[in-house]
Amino acid sequence: MNLRSFVRSALRSRQLALAGIALVPTLVTAQEPADTGGLAEVVITARFREESLQRTPLAITAISGDALEMRNAASVVDIGKFSPNVTINPLGAGYGPTLVANIRGVGLTDFKPVFEPGVPIYVDDVVLARSTGAVLDLLDLERVEVLRGPQGTLFGKNAAGGAIRMVSRKPTGDGPGFIEGTYGKFNRIDFRGAFEAPIVQDHVFGRFSFSSKKRDGYVDVLDFACAMAEQGTPQLAGTLPSDTSRRGGRGCKVDTMGGEDVQAARAAFRFVANDNFEISLIGDITDDNSEGPADKTLDINETGSIALLNRFNQQVAGPRYGVQFDRRFITGSPYASYSSFEDPINGLETPNISHVLHWGVSSTADWKITDTLAMKLILAHRKFDAEFGRDSDGSPLPINHTFDRFVHDQDSAELRFNGTMFGGRTDWTAGAFWFQATDFQPNFVILYPNETPAFPQALIDRIDNQDSDNWAVFLHTVNHLTDELALTAGVRYTKDKKEFTVIRSQQSDGSLLFPVTTATAEASRTSPMLSLSYQFTPVVNTYVSWQKGFRGGGFNPRPASAAQVTSFNPEDLNSFEVGVKSELFERRLRLNLATFYVKYTDMQLPSVFVDANNAVTFPPLNAGKAHMDGVELEFEAAVFEGFRVEGSVGYLGFQYEDLGRADPNYILNNSPPQLSQAQREANARAAPCKECRPIRAPKWTSNLGAQYTVGLADRGSLTFRADAKYQSRVFYSSNNFRRASQGAYTLVDANIGWTSNDNNWTVTLLGTNLTNRLYLNGALDFLESLGTNEGQYGRPREWGISVKKRF
């Protein structure tokens, strides 16, 4: 047997052995090659069995927990810095503690539960069905896997853009423990830790971890009357009162936004009956008592074209306070606001909070039935209760305020069987999935309130209830046609049902604006996939794949009448992908390339609708067709001993093919006759254009990281680390107005760490956004409808120092 045949035989034997393992490990691998200066092998479980990253025909980025720590990654948001064609941000701008993950142009634009996330997040194979409350701490993780492209077979609905898997460390009885403290700018004080111990020798193990994060807000809330007096223009404040009680000797500063106060804990228990059977129990809780997002008013419409604004200025702001709502309320600093979070007319408060209590429990049973058949059962319950207030106008006037509560309760179960057939030539996974959730979302809106009968108070209580049921069955096979050639085939059938109940009433007397209305939507999808891979050499793998995915449908989230409680259907994607994965120069260079083409149909696009009562709303319609194409390159290199470089480049092309009834010309020419020409034109401008790009989908993304470790003899070692993330312009509105966009920018983070010789102590000096780049995480453009454009700037330059003790 020659060397090449021996290597192939060894790799093949390893595959067959892994296929027969019943207790599918969740550990990332870290087997170093013979030359310890090379790159470690990475083992993943993205296809529910242990496989080498380089032999898996998927576009996937896998980052170990240790690598996340070295890159200063502290929350889910940071994961988006390290993968091509991926952006992850807080949704911000009025949407509370909501995360938005976007992969290959598919993501989320609203926090309402009627909208399904296009990129679901899984924690230990339990889906987080809603993106609110999903800005989780990266607490005691073994690794993170970012799967790019539709994952409709193994992960089901909503994985239309991809999926993010967070895999926690499993207790082994002798696993690593640590405690870490960090102090930094904005009075940042963080504590993290984890430890584990055998509870019953060789049979029961426990692992416990915790995190506490606190830091002040980075946007100052200023008392407007005080600020005007301080700058010598008190007349601009009219008779607006100065809130001396809240200033507390801090000049004109009365509050901050963007402050953090988050505590999290996790307990994991592992019961090992014998070599063939084990059960894991996991419980986690996150208590987030943070301030509201750092929203800021970017612009105010002074053209006189907003009827609501004109009446408010004439009947409220002018007579009551001697001011007009105009650009005087835009501060000169991106990190300051005149928000008040109060309605002095009605005595209502929309507090500056972004609170979430998020917890979950899960149980996983692993049973090795035979040497070639394994079973896994996952049962889980998750719940969160969120509250968040919003001052969308950024002024002491009550122009546009909201207060939301969002309660989500979900149960899920997944049963999977893994096995091999035909002498190890076919690896297969079959399973069934069940999911049930309830969403309760009461809120109230203050919108241009008034004190005159001619213009009644616009104070509306809104309650939305949604019940969701989903079940699916799936089959996934990997067929080794030869030692080099493998055919992967899979299919999933999904059945989805939702019921949506709407209640709208006047806050003043509780009278209903329209009768309590309920709507039901049902849908089913069959999601197949095919992939053909060929191992040209032991270090070069190629593949071509086709996969379907879909995002679930929903309902018009903001109806103004019973007739507007309408549903929209799921949207579908067909993805074609070609990829090459390679490890070169004796595993010193890992180079992975993927190209893709996606057909996007039944896109959920905004429209304009007026019912028989002249009530206007903007319900989503399945009106759009588009295609996307792109290229993704990832690399990692061990340049020389102690020096590592990794990075990626992603390109995403996008083109609408048909906008249907969401087309601006269609809206302009087919609007109801009761709308004025000005209203028609404004509605048409709010619609997506044929040349527009999707929201939060930059054409180019890239990242580059470098790390160098130098020994200090008997005094330990120093590690220098720097990371840069670039993205081209992103738009935050479907019409691609540049006023609601963020131009191209680069963020740079770095750290320097000392580690003792015994690896027990590490001291790290870290910095984020070192160039102090000003950039928007999001924007909410109501400039032509309500008169304001607001956004949320990212955090400025920060520093910190951390001390970590391992045991």
Side-chain angles (χ1 to χ4, degrees), residues 571-572 600-605 621-626 656-662:
E571 53 187 15
D572 298 281
Y600 204 166
T601 58
D602 290 329
M603 293 181 71
Q604 298 161 4
L605 298 178
L621 296 175
N622 298 102
K625 295 180 181 178
Y656 281 115
E657 297 175 0
D658 183 15
L659 293 171
R661 287 180 292 167

Side-chain angles (χ1 to χ4, degrees), residues 763-784:
V763 180
T764 305
L765 178 64
L766 55 92
T768 56
N769 191 8
L770 290 180
T771 62
N772 207 28
R773 184 67 165 87
L774 183 66
Y775 65 98
L776 285 170
N777 275 325
L780 195 59
D781 181 13
F782 290 148
L783 200 62
E784 296 190 44

Side-chain angles (χ1 to χ4, degrees), residues 234-251:
Q235 70 278 5
L236 292 179
T239 60
L240 285 168
S242 180
D243 192 351
T244 56
S245 63
R246 295 179 63 199
R247 298 210 301 267
R250 298 180 295 178

